Amino acid sequence: MSKENYIEETRPHDSAYKHVSGYAEYTDDINEPKNTIYGAIGLSRKAHAIIKKIDLTDVKKSKGVISVVTYSDIPGRNDVGPVFDGDPVFPKTKVEFYGQPLFAVAAITTELARKAVLKAKITYKELKPVITIREALNKKQFLFKPRKIKKGNPSKKIKISKNILKGNFTTGSQEHFYLEGQAAFVIPKEDDNFLVYSSTQHPSETQQLIAKMFNQKSNSINVEVRRIGGGFGGKVPVYPGYVIAIAASVVTGLPIKWIEDRSENLQADSFARDYHIKAEIAATKEGKIQATRFKVLADHGYTDASANPSKFPTGLFSIGTGSYDYDASYMEADAVYTNKPPGGVAYRCSFRVTEAVHAIETVVDTLALKIGKDPAQLRFENFIKKDQFPWKSPTGWEYDSGDYKAGLEMAMNAIDYDGLSSDLTACISDVVLSDDDGDQYSAVGANCVGLPACPDADGDAVCDWSDDCVGFYDCNGSCADLSYLSWVADGFCDATGYGDGTPGFGLNFLCEEFGFDGGDCSVTPSVGDSCADGIGVIDCALNCVDAGTASSVSYTHLRAHE
């Protein structure tokens, strides 16, 4: 055995050359048998409706059409739900999201197949769709009972702790937007076997579900995946198009290729769900974490399409307590029904670990801000130590190994954390400003880049970027979206803004970071002599004014000086 260490050796991706040269073979590039036909799917044009009638007469008569496939052509399980039923290949009586597959066409060309599906005459009884988590909550449309884990006594520890923080935040849904959409190329073989080339991330699941749908043994379905074409978790579930392609091949006895176009992908494909998160963290006076409590509400779309068969199918339970040594936690996850494609899929990590990490690290950062401690130092003081492994988390998961202290130190050294912290500290300074009447007031500003003073319309410096301005500087050296930001001790603020739309951005950041009600804030025109470009001033009922594109980070710094 070689004793050389190859782990840190830089090596090219095994397909890098083929990718950049165009020689990489994706599903749509596979050589086709001469008798190959092509598929297209007829999609619902309603988000929520009862199907009263589907007339496919003109579809069948359309030029080049070989066959039309409906739910009646699936002899077995008409469902692609990986764990739970509820995601039919073709719905029989009701559509529950815009773009839901209703039927499919096989034709001699892709173009003719796509033209044919547009000739369907479908009669609906429209129902009111539910689109947002808030709407679903109001209607109490939940997909399952809340999943909960409780270890220790988090309520008691939170109640008696010196530092208690709680709040709400959200993460939006994500469209995976991979390079190649969903794809399937089916070739019938002898003895009713099928070879399926697909872009799926889960070939074994695809094999098993297809077999169940056509009442065949799993070993009669051979699924091959050479290149996914991008997936990020979105191609883990079995997409109905895979099954539809098989059905068309069964009906016609011919090879068939189905390639999803980009518009179909954006309409009908699964998405990474958005989250509403309630979080609490409790710590000692010095910042030692004592307990956490998280409640998560997820938008799952119209069905629970999670591929995790466990009782706790979200990353919140397994990783939500982070890398920190404490023993009391409460976790609760719930999901609402909305009229969207299945949303219970992964995105860039297994079963939404990303949101779980975001939740715990956000509350730890906020705790550091509250107690005035460097965020890295607070983490060092709370990390699970190397000699504590294997370690059981507050929610019962076992961490087998780790050295979080060494990992964070390596990252800090890589970015020169100490030097960066010094630079940022220098960018936040208490200054004394004077208004036109000569009255002086104290203010705090933040600056992330060292740039010269920016002139106003008369050529005078609006402010010195070294201490009391926040904004952006464009590539040609002129002022762009400049925000003159001040926080004044006696309750009065003034602002000057450059750039189209910047007061609106400033208002949003202001309300978000200081907790103001948006109804208490307004954007009012400013006069030319008080604002260089007359862009506007944001006036708030709580006696605070701002303008421009000042980032929320700046407001975080400002809060520390209140």
Side-chain angles (χ1 to χ4, degrees), residues 43-45 97-100 262-269 341:
L43 305 175
S44 167
R45 295 305 173 210
F97 65 89
Y98 189 95
Q100 187 168 12
R262 183 59 66 187
S263 63
E264 286 179 299
N265 178 263
L266 292 174
Q267 292 174 51
D269 204 2

Side-chain angles (χ1 to χ4, degrees), residues 44 46 48-55 71 90-96 100-102 121-127:
S44 167
K46 304 295 180 182
H48 196 200
I50 301 297
I51 302 172
K52 300 184 71 175
K53 184 180 180 181
I54 299 180
D55 184 353
Y71 66 82
F90 293 126
K92 295 181 181 180
T93 60
K94 184 180 180 182
V95 295
E96 297 183 79
Q100 187 168 12
L102 298 178
K121 297 177 181 178
I122 304 175
T123 306
Y124 300 98
K125 178 185 177 181
E126 289 194 61
L127 305 173

Side-chain angles (χ1 to χ4, degrees), residues 284-308:
T284 64
K285 182 180 179 181
E286 295 75 23
K288 181 66 177 73
I289 298 174
Q290 300 296 295
T292 55
R293 183 159 49 199
F294 293 100
K295 293 185 179 182
V296 168
L297 186 61
D299 180 352
H300 271 245
Y302 92 108
T303 188
D304 183 7
S306 175
N308 186 338

Side-chain angles (χ1 to χ4, degrees), residues 311-344:
K311 184 179 179 181
F312 305 109
T314 175
L316 175 72
F317 298 110
S318 59
I319 207 72
T321 55
S323 309
Y324 307 109
D325 179 15
Y326 63 101
D327 60 8
S329 185
Y330 175 83
M331 303 284 184
E332 179 179 320
D334 207 347
V336 295
Y337 167 100
T338 59
N339 293 109
K340 299 176 186 176

Side-chain angles (χ1 to χ4, degrees), residues 507 510-511 515-523 538-544:
L507 183 145
L510 182 75
C511 294
F516 297 153
D517 188 329
D520 294 332
C521 299
S522 62
V523 180
I538 296 175
D539 189 6
C540 181
L542 296 179
N543 293 324
C544 193

